[in-house]
Amino acid sequence: MESPPRYLLFFFFFFFAAVASAASEFQTLTLRRLPIPSPLPFPQPQFDTQETLESTAALTVELHHLDSLSPNKTPSDLFNLRLHRDALRVDSLTSLTAARSRTPLRRAGFSSSVISGLAQGSGEYFTRLGVGTPSRYIYMVLDTGSDVVWLQCSPCRKCYSQSDPIFNPFKSKSFAGIPCSSPLCRRLDSSGCNTRRHTCLYQVSYGDGSFTTGDFATETLTFRGNKIAKVALGCGHDNEGLFVGAAGLLGLGRGRFSFPSQTGLRFNHKFSYCLVDRSASSKPSSMVFGDAAISRLARFTPLILNPKLETFYYVELIGISVGGVRVRGISASLFKLDSAGNGGVIIDSGTSVTRLTRPAYTALRDAFRAGASHLKRGPEFSLFDTCYDLSGQSAVKVPTVVLHFRGADMALPATNYLIPVDDSGSFCFAFAGTMSGLSIIGNIQQQGFRVVYDLAGSRIGFAPRGCT
């Protein structure tokens, strides 16, 4: 058979190259409304197994967004509250990395200073788990930006309103105070001693002025019938501030008292989560602990250690592409973590909107505006300075956006960066700038990816379409 003429080969080559290039430049955004919070689906367990979870077992839990705790508010109200929480959290995260020390918060029984933490002491996602023996089921926030596990306990000197009854440690057979002389107590950043009972006291203060203080103890936690014994946690009798609805916090950070650190041997130092787009799916988000957390589709980037601050998950962001082209002016040097612990990029489940250091954000925004010049501009909204009036349309073409990490690219779906901000067809570019050197990859950009924390391999992975 005679070979096709050379000019036809060149034609097909350039045709398919042009198609591939066009595919990398734009993608379709199907327009959706702000999500409506759905009722919480958690049933009470029908059994209370006495078996503890084996070290090789995997554990899966469902996650739900904090908005589900406020079903009576409108979607617009919830979105504005989310942005308000987000601003407080980001301010606190950046102040923590900048200061790393605070004026001691003096309360009876404590002898050392208080560590700072994240705004509000809570992230955006929570699950239901059992505490104590027999198990009392409560809502707990899960947060990669915090370490200490704690919950509200009676008797309460002061407790905020929560959805479940306050946990009573005196009704639990597995609750055990930690002696003041224990290494666990001495390793707390802020500890004290109850001189009457000779048991350890803790306190944690957050950047917005919220705090929790009480007894430091060990207790059994139950996830879907699987029991994990002797988890060190704070039993808070005085909890004040901007906490929302849930009974406490399950810290997922890198610090020594976080849940992943305490249970590392059980779960081989691995966990992952996938956060669904709540405007597009009724399926709950999920979190997996153990070897099953590792997705075969994940592309990994190394974790970077900040010697000044052990809590956060730092990664190396080396560039960003818009419309298939690397954005000029965005390089790894803008996101460098220096020897003093300043700068860097963290992955955070509790921040919603990704914040980039100002020069990087400005370059990204300008590149996106140029690529989306065919869309009708709309007024600014809250922290967003790049918005569009897409009323009357069902779908639009938008420039692609890819985050380039060291060894791993994260090609974002259009719904992860152009989001509805009202019910009138206004959509905004879901990034923001910060004057701080710290950049934060938020949960809107993480939606739909299975984010894999392989702490044994000191790496984080991103698997697209990981919620299925």
Side-chain angles (χ1 to χ4, degrees):
M1 182 177 177
E2 185 177 349
S3 299
R6 181 171 296 181
Y7 72 87
L8 285 180
L9 294 177
F10 279 113
F11 170 79
F12 285 121
F13 172 79
F14 286 112
F15 173 78
F16 287 114
V19 170
S21 176
S24 68
E25 292 177 8
F26 292 93
Q27 60 180 318
T28 300
L29 170 66
T30 301
L31 305 185
R32 301 187 179 97
R33 301 169 67 89
L34 286 171
I36 299 174
S38 55
L40 292 172
F42 293 112
Q44 284 283 47
Q46 300 302 310
F47 59 90
D48 191 16
T49 178
Q50 297 302 310
E51 296 181 2
T52 57
L53 194 65
E54 297 297 331
S55 61
T56 57
L59 175 66
T60 301
V61 296
E62 291 184 354
L63 306 184
H64 294 267
H65 194 269
L66 204 62
D67 287 352
S68 297
L69 294 177
S70 304
N72 296 324
K73 295 187 180 297
T74 67
S76 292
D77 289 341
L78 291 171
F79 184 71
N80 285 313
L81 286 171
R82 186 180 186 185
L83 293 182
H84 176 66
R85 293 194 305 267
D86 216 43
L88 290 174
R89 181 182 179 89
V90 170
D91 286 346
S92 189
L93 290 177
T94 54
S95 66
L96 174 60
T97 58
R100 285 180 290 279
S101 64
R102 297 287 174 185
T103 302
L105 176 66
R106 302 202 177 275
R107 296 193 172 272
F110 288 92
S111 59
S112 60
S113 63
V114 182
I115 61 167
S116 298
L118 61 159
Q120 298 183 277
S122 76
E124 291 285 290
Y125 291 86
F126 63 93
T127 193
R128 194 162 181 79
L129 56 85
V131 181
T133 305
S135 298
R136 308 289 180 179
Y137 278 77
I138 58 174
Y139 296 128
M140 291 279 278
V141 169
L142 295 99
D143 197 340
T144 57
S146 183
D147 290 326
V148 176
V149 180
W150 64 267
L151 72 157
Q152 297 199 112
C153 288
S154 62
C156 271
R157 287 188 290 273
K158 189 168 185 179
C159 284
Y160 61 88
S161 176
Q162 66 178 55
S163 301
D164 296 293
I166 302 293
F167 178 72
N168 186 346
F170 297 104
K171 294 183 178 181
S172 172
K173 298 176 182 178
S174 50
F175 184 88
I178 295 173
C180 301
S181 58
S182 167
L184 279 176
C185 188
R186 293 198 299 267
R187 285 163 56 191
L188 279 169
D189 289 283
S190 182
S191 64
C193 185
N194 183 313
T195 54
R196 181 173 59 85
R197 291 185 281 116
H198 303 289
T199 54
C200 188
L201 303 174
Y202 83 99
Q203 60 180 4
V204 176
S205 174
Y206 297 97
D208 65 343
S210 304
F211 64 86
T212 174
T213 180
D215 296 305
F216 198 54
T218 60
E219 183 56 288
T220 296
L221 301 184
T222 303
F223 298 81
R224 291 187 168 184
N226 296 303
K227 291 183 175 295
I228 303 175
K230 297 183 178 179
V231 176
L233 50 75
C235 191
H237 301 293
D238 189 353
N239 317 286
E240 301 178 30
L242 300 177
F243 303 113
V244 182
L249 185 145
L250 192 74
L252 299 173
R254 298 178 76 180
R256 69 192 74 174
F257 286 108
S258 74
F259 184 74
S261 294
Q262 291 195 55
T263 61
L265 292 179
R266 289 182 175 93
F267 301 122
N268 292 329
H269 301 278
K270 300 177 179 71
F271 71 95
S272 69
Y273 57 72
C274 195
L275 309 176
V276 302
D277 179 354
R278 294 177 300 120
S279 65
S281 174
S282 59
K283 182 178 180 178
S285 303
S286 65
M287 173 168 282
V288 180
F289 294 90
D291 289 337
I294 305 296
S295 169
R296 290 177 294 177
L297 300 177
R299 297 289 301 276
F300 287 91
T301 186
L303 275 169
I304 299 173
L305 179 65
N306 184 347
K308 305 294 184 180
L309 192 64
E310 65 180 359
T311 300
F312 302 138
Y313 294 96
Y314 284 87
V315 292
E316 189 177 2
L317 183 62
I318 60 176
I320 303 176
S321 292
V322 173
V325 179
R326 288 285 187 118
V327 178
R328 295 183 61 184
I330 298 184
S331 63
S333 61
L334 288 178
F335 306 110
K336 185 177 180 181
L337 177 67
D338 66 24
S339 58
N342 300 311
V345 179
I346 64 172
I347 305 291
D348 183 40
S349 67
T351 299
S352 290
V353 178
T354 288
R355 273 26 178 234
L356 300 176
T357 187
R358 178 61 62 175
Y361 170 71
T362 301
L364 171 63
R365 177 202 63 194
D366 291 349
F368 185 83
R369 286 178 177 177
S373 60
H374 60 288
L375 301 179
K376 181 182 178 182
R377 287 289 296 275
E380 297 182 2
F381 183 92
S382 185
L383 76 165
F384 302 122
D385 63 6
T386 301
C387 299
Y388 299 90
D389 178 3
L390 305 182
S391 57
Q393 303 186 69
S394 59
V396 295
K397 292 286 187 180
V398 297
T400 57
V401 175
V402 181
L403 305 180
H404 301 288
F405 297 97
R406 179 73 65 188
D409 288 346
M410 192 177 186
L412 302 179
T415 51
N416 287 30
Y417 56 87
L418 200 58
I419 64 171
V421 296
D422 61 26
D423 289 324
S424 303
S426 297
F427 283 69
C428 294
F429 189 52
F431 287 82
T434 173
M435 299 307 294
S436 163
L438 178 69
S439 296
I440 307 168
I441 307 300
N443 59 52
I444 290 175
Q445 282 65 41
Q446 297 176 46
Q447 286 178 167
F449 290 88
R450 181 151 295 279
V451 183
V452 181
Y453 294 76
D454 180 5
L455 307 184
S458 191
R459 59 182 187 164
I460 285 184
F462 309 98
R465 297 176 294 280
C467 296
T468 56

